[in-house]
């Protein structure tokens, strides 16, 4: 490959290096252009060698040498280009330095010019502000001057008008036509009021006003005619406007009414027109309208016979609804006519409450006498209180609805409350008196029922027993007491809302305390009547009671003869237990009433709740004492019956059988044991139905302790053999099992288990007694020693010496 056939090298220029130039890309294009030609020459040489045309293989390296020449040529061109680029760069660098110096110089000049411009702007802004302030001052002066001019012009006119009014007394014919022109009534009224104000101010000042520097007395003398004429003119103008207003009102010409009212507002704020309008309403002028309310409500009262209070309240609500509709109609007219409708509405609402509503309430609420209250058949005090509460609630509601119509600062609710002030002074006294009246009537009714029961049970010729005529405590009676109390508290909430927490809590406490007193009295009296039945049974039982020192045969005969006393005793216990159940139920009813109704009224006041709880505890204390006393009497009666059964039913041979029966001991309980447990079963059913919780446990504990002592005392009347001791042990086991199963009283269970151990003194051999007592009966040694003396072999076996020796 000859040099002429080598690919030409691209002639690089300086401009080629501008932009994104890459030597790698340049050389890649160069190689890609040369290599194909070289490859073609190598292929030709290889073909020639095969056919023998080429004599030497070294010719194949000629292409590589040519490629080196090309790269060397490219190197020379690139070096030349580098020098060219360096020259261009140096030239450009010098140009940049020249332009930088030129730019810096020009920037300095511009910066100085900008600073000068800023100073000019600051001066211009200060000048503009100064000119604006000056213009504002000039405008203010011009405005003041114009205002002074207008004031001076008005003053001149006022002086001229004043001179006209001060010309001659009573001569209003020569005054300006302004004051007689019907089209200028508004302006005339305004000017007349200004003149009156000027004259009145001048009368009370020295050396001031439009009359110049004169004394007060001279000013007064100089303006007397003006004062008189102005007063006459204002009166005449006001009367004329009022007449115009009245005529327009009669025609219901609201436009004319509004014009007249607007002008009249310049005279005493228009109060004359407002009051005149309100007073002319038919509800205040027409007697038929005024009497209609009372006739409607009182007619309902007469028709209901003072018994159907809801009908009366319904009639009152109807009247109040009619009043509200009337006032609403007037409110629409007032809003369209008067410049200050809220002031007119205040006057109207006040007149409605003070005249129409108050007149109705005076006729409806006739306060009865506490010293001589009406009979309950005629409604009693409760009727007055129900009507009062209903009227108060509905009147307050009416006041709220009237207030909502727009009365300004007028307090309609406060005025409505004041209508009841005479009734509120002694309201709580009437509530308490009413509750007392209801309670007395109910108690008298119950007593009459009891007297009738006594008469029926006694017959015409015999004295009836308390038991036969006893009337049990009534559940329904206390329910009525609570219902009356709830109604009283409801009225109290109505009359004294929760917003008045202090008075409400105080009165609620008084009302609830009244209930406590009533329930306590009624329940205590009922328990005392039941105790009288217990006492009567005890007296009857005492007739058949024989002292323990008496002969046993006599005691058995007396116990057997006391059948009537037994029946009376058991019945009296049942009666008292039912009374206790009713009393407990009544107390629970009162407590529930306290939680549901009374508590929420007391909580807002500190200490009210705790004080009321203390009063409740104190009120029930007497009832509790009576109940405890009666329960103790029940235990006495039950123990007395147990003792009677033991005496009457227990045979001597039960514990000391004849010799021929000792070989085959009886393992059944004795008749006395069976009778006692049957009696206990009947009584426990009564106790379980009447007592519960702690009260039941305490009662059965006391009964069990007394029964334990009665059994020990009972055993001291018998002599026991060994076989009799076994039967006694069986009886005691029956008693203990029954007590443990039914009494659920741990203290009693311990004692009866001890009693089961005690009776072992009748079973063991004499020589084993000391060991038994020392090992098992250390805590009941005295009882054991007493029982040992009842052993059949006590003297024969010389048991006493056994303990002496030990």
């Amino acid at each position: 490959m000859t040099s002429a056939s080598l690919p030409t090298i691209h002639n690089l220029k300086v401009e080629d290096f501008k932009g994104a130039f890459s030597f790698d890309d340049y050389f890649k294009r160069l190689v890609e252009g040369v290599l194909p030609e070289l490859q073609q020459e190598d292929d030709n040489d290889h073909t020639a060698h095969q056919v023998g045309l080429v004599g030497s293989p070294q010719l194949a390296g000629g292409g590589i040498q040519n490629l080196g020449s090309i790269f060397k040529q490219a190197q020379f061109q690139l070096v030349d280009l580098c020098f060219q680029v360096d020259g261009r760069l140096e030239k450009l660098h010098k140009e940049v330095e020249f332009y930088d110096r030129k730019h810096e110089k020009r920037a300095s000049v511009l910066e100085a010019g900008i600073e000068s411009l800023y100073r000019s702007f600051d001066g211009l802004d200060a000048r503009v502000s100064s000119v604006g302030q000056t213009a504002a001052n000039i405008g203010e002066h011009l405005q003041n001057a114009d205002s002074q001019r207008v004031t001076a012009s008005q003053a001149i006119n006022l002086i001229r008008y004043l001179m006209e009014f001060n010309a001659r007394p009573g001569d209003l014919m020569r005054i300006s036509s302004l004051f007689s022109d019907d089209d200028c009534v508004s302006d005339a009224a305004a000017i007349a009021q200004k003149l009156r104000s000027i004259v009145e101010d001048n009368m009370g000042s020295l050396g001031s006003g439009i009359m110049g520097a004169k004394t007060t007395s001279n000013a007064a003398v100089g303006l007397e005619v003006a004062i008189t004429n102005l007063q006459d003119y204002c009166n005449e103008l006001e009367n004329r406007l009022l007449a115009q207003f009245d005529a327009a009102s009669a025609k219901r010409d609201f436009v004319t009414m509004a014009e007249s009212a607007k002008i009249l507002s310049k005279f005493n704020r228009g109060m004359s027109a407002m009051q005149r309008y309100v007073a002319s309403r038919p509800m205040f002028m027409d007697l038929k309208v005024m009497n209609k309310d009372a006739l409607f409500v009182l007619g309902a009262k007469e028709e209901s016979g003072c018994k159907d209070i809801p009908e009366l309240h319904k009639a009152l609500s109807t009247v109040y609804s009619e009043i509200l509709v009337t006032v609403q109609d007037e409110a629409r007219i007032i809003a369209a006519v008067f410049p200050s409708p809220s002031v007119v509405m205040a006057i109207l609402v006040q007149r409605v409450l003070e005249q129409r509503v108050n007149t109705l309430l005076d006729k409806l609420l006739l306060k009865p006498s506490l010293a001589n209250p009406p009979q309950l058949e005629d409604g009693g005090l409760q009727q007055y209180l129900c009507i009062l509460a209903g009227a108060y609630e509905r009147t307050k509601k009416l006041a709220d609805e009237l207030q909502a119509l727009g009365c300004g600062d007028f307090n309609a609710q406060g005025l409505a409350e004041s209508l009841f002030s005479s009734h509120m002074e002694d309201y709580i006294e009437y509530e308490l008196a009413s509750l007392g009246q209801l309670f007395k009537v109910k108690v008298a009714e119950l007593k009459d029922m009891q007297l009738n029961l006594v008469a029926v049970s006694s017959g015409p010729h015999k004295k009836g027993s308390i038991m036969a005529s006893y009337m049990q405590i009534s559940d329904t009676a206390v329910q009525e007491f609570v219902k009356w109390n709830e109604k009283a508290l409801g009225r109290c909430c109505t009359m004294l809302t929760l917003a008045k927490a202090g008075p409400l809590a105080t009165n609620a406490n008084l009302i609830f305390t009244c209930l406590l007193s009533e329930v306590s009295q009624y329940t205590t009296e009922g328990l005392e009547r039941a105790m009288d039945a217990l006492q009567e049974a005890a007296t009857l039982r005492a007739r058949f009671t024989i002292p323990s020192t008496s002969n046993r045969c006599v005691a058995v005969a007396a116990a057997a003869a006391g059948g009537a006393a037994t029946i009376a005793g058991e019945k009296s216990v049942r009666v008292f237990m039912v009374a206790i159940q009713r009393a407990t139920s009544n107390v629970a009813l009162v407590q529930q009433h306290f939680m549901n109704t009374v508590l929420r009224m007391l909580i807002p006041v500190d200490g009210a709740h705790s004080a009321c709880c203390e009063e409740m505890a104190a009120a029930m204390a007497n009832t509790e004492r009576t109940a405890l006393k009666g329960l103790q009497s029940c235990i006495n009666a039950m123990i007395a019956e147990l003792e009677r059964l033991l005496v009457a039913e227990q045979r001597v041979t039960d514990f000391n059988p004849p010799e021929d029966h000792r070989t085959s001991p009886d393992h059944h309980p004795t008749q006395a044991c069976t009778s006692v447990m049957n009696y206990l079963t009947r009584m426990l059913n009564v106790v379980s139905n009447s007592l519960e919780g702690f009260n039941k446990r305490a009662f059965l504990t006391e009964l069990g302790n007394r029964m334990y002592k009665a059994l020990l005392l009972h055993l001291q009347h018998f002599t026991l053999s060994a076989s009799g001791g076994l039967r006694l042990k069986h009886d005691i086991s029956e008693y203990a099992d029954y007590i443990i199963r039914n009494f659920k009283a741990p203290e009693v269970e311990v004692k009866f288990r001890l009693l089961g151990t005690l009776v072992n003194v009748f079973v063991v051999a004499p020589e084993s007694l000391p060991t038994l007592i020392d090992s098992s009966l250390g805590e009941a040694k005295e009882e054991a020693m007493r029982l040992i003396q009842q052993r059949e072999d006590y003297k024969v076996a010389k048991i006493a010496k056994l303990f002496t020796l030990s």
Side-chain angles (χ1 to χ4, degrees):
M1 182 176 180
T2 62
S3 59
S5 62
L6 290 174
T8 59
I9 302 300
H10 176 66
N11 295 322
L12 292 175
K13 300 179 181 179
V14 175
E15 288 75 8
D16 294 336
F17 291 93
K18 295 180 180 180
F21 178 80
S22 172
F23 280 104
D24 292 337
D25 293 339
Y26 171 73
F27 283 114
K28 182 178 180 181
R29 290 194 304 272
L30 180 65
V31 173
E32 290 175 351
V34 173
L35 284 179
E37 296 180 6
L38 293 177
Q39 184 65 36
Q40 183 64 37
E41 290 181 2
D42 287 341
D43 292 341
N44 294 335
D45 290 343
H46 180 67
T47 303
H49 175 71
Q50 290 178 348
V51 295
L53 295 177
V54 180
S56 177
Q58 289 141 356
L59 293 176
I64 301 300
Q65 294 177 357
N66 293 332
L67 183 62
S69 300
I70 294 172
F71 281 128
K72 193 175 289 185
Q73 182 181 358
Q75 181 182 3
F76 292 150
Q77 290 186 2
L78 288 173
V79 170
D80 183 56
L81 286 174
C82 286
F83 286 120
Q84 293 181 23
V85 169
D86 289 340
R88 291 287 300 272
L89 288 174
E90 184 177 2
K91 181 179 179 181
L92 290 173
H93 182 68
K94 291 180 180 180
E95 290 179 357
V96 168
E97 288 181 348
F98 171 75
Y99 283 114
D100 282 343
R101 289 192 298 272
K102 185 176 180 181
H103 174 71
E104 289 177 357
K105 182 177 180 180
R106 190 167 184 177
S108 299
V109 174
L110 290 175
E111 184 176 358
I114 290 172
E115 291 180 357
S116 176
L117 183 61
Y118 279 152
R119 288 193 296 271
S120 298
F121 279 142
D122 291 341
L124 179 62
D125 182 65
R127 181 63 178 168
V128 169
S129 298
S130 176
V131 171
Q133 185 65 34
T134 302
N137 293 335
I138 293 173
E140 183 178 355
H141 287 309
L142 290 174
Q143 186 176 5
N144 291 337
D146 184 67
S147 176
Q148 292 175 359
R149 181 188 63 79
V150 172
T151 303
S153 176
Q154 292 177 350
I156 293 172
N157 291 333
L158 290 175
I159 292 172
R160 178 167 61 84
Y161 295 143
L162 185 60
M163 291 176 63
E164 292 178 358
F165 278 102
N166 200 39
R168 293 182 181 180
D171 187 6
L172 300 178
M173 300 300 295
R174 299 183 181 182
I175 61 177
S176 174
S177 60
L178 172 69
F179 297 98
S180 58
D181 189 352
D182 291 339
D183 295 334
C184 302
V185 173
S186 179
D187 295 336
I191 293 173
Q193 288 300 314
K194 287 183 180 179
L195 292 175
R196 289 184 62 182
S197 177
I198 292 172
V199 172
E200 290 172 358
D201 291 342
N202 187 69
M203 292 290 289
S205 62
L206 291 173
S208 61
I210 61 175
M211 300 303 295
K214 295 182 180 181
T215 64
T216 303
S217 59
N218 291 337
V221 172
L223 294 176
E224 287 178 348
V225 175
I227 293 173
T228 303
N229 288 341
L230 280 171
Q231 185 64 45
D232 293 342
Y233 174 75
C234 288
N235 291 339
E236 186 272 333
L237 180 59
E238 185 175 11
N239 291 332
R240 181 153 47 98
L241 290 171
L242 288 173
Q244 181 179 343
F245 181 85
D246 292 341
S249 178
K251 298 177 182 178
R252 300 183 67 82
D253 184 358
F254 300 137
V255 175
T256 304
M257 289 173 64
E259 294 175 353
S260 301
K262 183 178 180 180
I263 300 171
L264 285 168
S265 64
K266 297 179 175 62
F267 296 94
N268 192 24
R269 295 175 300 173
M271 291 302 296
S272 58
M274 298 177 187
Q275 293 174 350
R276 195 183 189 98
Y277 175 79
V278 171
S280 64
R281 297 304 87 202
M283 72 174 79
F284 306 127
M285 303 245 339
D286 193 341
L287 292 177
K288 292 182 180 180
V289 175
M290 298 175 66
N291 293 329
K292 178 184 176 182
D293 302 339
L295 290 174
F296 185 78
V297 176
L298 296 178
K301 182 178 179 182
E302 293 174 359
E303 290 177 3
S304 63
C306 303
K307 295 180 181 179
D308 195 354
I309 303 299
E311 285 297 322
L312 188 144
H313 289 162
K314 183 178 179 181
L316 184 62
S317 298
T318 301
V319 172
Y320 280 174
S321 297
E322 293 177 356
I323 293 176
L324 179 62
V325 170
T326 303
V327 176
Q328 288 172 341
D329 294 340
E330 294 293 343
R332 287 189 285 270
I333 297 174
I334 289 171
V337 170
F338 291 95
S340 302
S342 61
V343 179
V344 186
M345 285 301 301
I347 298 173
L348 176 62
V349 170
Q350 180 179 1
R351 186 74 177 269
V352 167
L353 292 174
E354 288 181 345
Q355 182 172 332
R356 189 169 179 181
V357 174
N358 192 34
T359 301
L360 176 59
L361 293 177
D362 287 342
K363 296 179 179 179
L364 179 63
L365 301 176
L366 301 178
K367 185 184 293 187
S369 171
L370 287 175
N372 186 22
Q375 296 298 318
L376 200 59
E377 295 79 7
D378 299 328
L381 295 174
Q382 190 179 33
Q383 175 183 278
Y384 160 73
L385 292 169
C386 290
I387 295 175
L388 173 64
Y392 182 87
E393 181 179 10
R394 284 157 180 78
T395 304
K396 286 279 290 181
K397 180 182 178 182
L398 174 64
D400 292 338
E401 292 171 338
L402 293 176
Q403 183 82 51
L405 295 178
C407 302
D409 296 333
F410 177 70
N411 186 5
Q413 294 89 342
L415 179 57
E417 287 187 5
S418 68
L419 300 180
F420 295 86
S421 58
S422 61
H423 300 277
M424 294 299 296
E425 293 173 354
D426 47 8
Y427 158 71
I428 192 61
E429 297 177 11
Y430 275 86
E431 281 289 6
L432 299 178
S434 174
L435 292 173
Q437 183 186 42
L438 292 169
F439 175 71
K440 289 178 181 178
V441 171
K442 185 63 178 179
V443 170
E445 177 185 338
L446 294 174
K447 287 183 178 179
D448 290 340
M449 292 174 61
Q450 183 176 6
L451 291 175
N452 294 333
L453 185 61
V454 171
V456 172
S457 63
S458 300
H461 302 295
K462 60 179 180 178
K463 181 180 179 181
S465 67
I466 297 175
M467 190 71 61
S469 63
Y470 174 73
M471 184 181 65
Q472 192 56 264
I473 296 175
S474 172
D475 288 336
T476 57
V478 176
Q479 289 175 358
E480 286 191 65
F481 299 162
V482 172
K483 181 178 69 174
W484 296 334
N485 204 262
E486 286 178 347
K487 290 182 178 180
L489 289 171
R491 289 191 293 269
C492 188
C493 284
T494 299
M495 305 298 286
L496 299 170
T497 59
L498 289 175
K500 304 175 182 178
L504 177 60
T506 301
N507 291 334
N509 189 21
L510 290 173
I511 293 173
F512 181 66
T513 303
C514 181
L515 174 66
L516 292 176
S517 177
E518 293 172 353
V519 174
S520 176
Q521 178 183 343
Y522 175 71
T523 305
T524 302
E525 290 178 354
L527 292 174
E528 289 174 348
R529 291 196 304 271
M531 285 184 61
D532 291 340
L534 286 170
Q535 184 60 39
E536 182 184 33
T539 303
L540 185 61
R541 185 171 58 248
R543 298 177 186 176
F544 301 95
T545 302
I546 303 298
S548 59
T549 57
S550 301
N551 184 277
R552 174 163 175 76
C553 295
V554 176
V556 172
T566 299
I567 296 173
E570 184 171 339
K571 184 175 181 181
S572 66
V573 172
R574 291 179 180 274
V575 164
F576 191 83
M577 284 298 174
V578 173
I580 283 291
Q581 180 186 11
R582 298 282 180 85
T584 304
S585 177
N586 290 340
V587 171
L589 194 62
V590 172
Q591 291 174 340
Q592 183 180 5
H593 168 61
F594 174 79
M595 296 299 297
N596 294 342
T597 306
V598 182
L599 183 59
R600 61 184 176 85
M601 304 180 191
L602 303 179
I603 287 179
V605 179
D606 293 336
H609 176 221
S610 59
C612 189
C613 289
E614 292 176 0
E615 292 180 3
M616 184 161 48
M620 295 303 171
N622 188 37
T623 303
E624 291 179 358
R625 285 192 294 269
T626 305
L628 292 175
K629 186 176 179 181
L631 289 173
Q632 189 63 49
S633 297
C634 288
I635 293 175
N636 294 339
M638 294 171 69
I639 294 299
E641 178 60 18
L642 290 177
E643 292 174 345
R644 189 197 70 80
L645 289 172
L646 290 172
V647 171
E649 303 289 342
Q650 198 81 68
R651 294 175 296 175
V652 175
T653 57
D654 288 341
F655 303 137
N656 192 5
E659 291 294 336
D660 56 344
H661 288 81
R662 294 186 181 183
T663 57
S664 57
D666 189 354
H667 296 290
H668 295 88
T670 64
Q671 181 61 38
C673 177
T674 303
S675 298
V676 166
M677 287 193 294
N678 289 338
Y679 175 75
L680 282 176
T681 300
R682 294 197 303 273
M683 291 296 99
L684 283 182
N685 288 334
V686 176
V687 172
S688 299
N689 291 332
S690 302
L691 300 177
E692 58 184 14
F694 175 79
N695 293 331
K696 179 181 177 181
R697 186 166 61 252
F699 181 87
L700 293 178
T701 299
E702 179 63 19
L703 177 63
N705 290 333
R706 293 281 300 276
M707 182 177 172
Y708 171 80
K709 294 178 181 179
L711 288 173
L712 285 177
L713 184 62
H714 172 66
L715 293 178
Q716 295 178 14
H717 294 90
F718 294 89
T719 299
L720 288 86
S721 63
S723 59
L726 290 173
R727 195 166 192 196
L728 173 63
K729 186 173 178 62
H730 188 76
D731 278 4
I732 297 302
S733 178
E734 291 289 334
Y735 289 137
D737 290 343
Y738 185 86
I739 293 295
I740 293 172
R741 187 171 61 253
N742 296 286
F743 276 45
K744 302 295 190 294
E747 180 182 341
V748 179
E749 293 175 9
V750 170
K751 288 191 174 184
F752 272 84
R753 287 193 178 98
L754 177 61
L755 183 59
T757 306
L758 274 172
V759 297
N760 286 332
V761 299
F762 300 112
V763 178
V764 300
E767 60 273 13
S768 301
L769 287 173
T771 304
L772 174 64
I773 292 176
D774 292 338
S775 62
S776 303
L777 300 173
E779 298 178 357
K781 186 174 182 178
E782 293 182 4
E783 289 86 348
M785 294 303 297
R786 284 195 293 269
L787 290 178
I788 289 173
Q789 297 177 22
Q790 305 302 122
R791 284 177 63 110
E792 180 184 31
D793 58 352
Y794 180 75
K795 293 181 180 181
V796 175
K798 298 180 180 181
I799 295 176
K801 288 183 178 182
L802 294 175
F803 289 96
T804 303
L805 292 175
S806 63

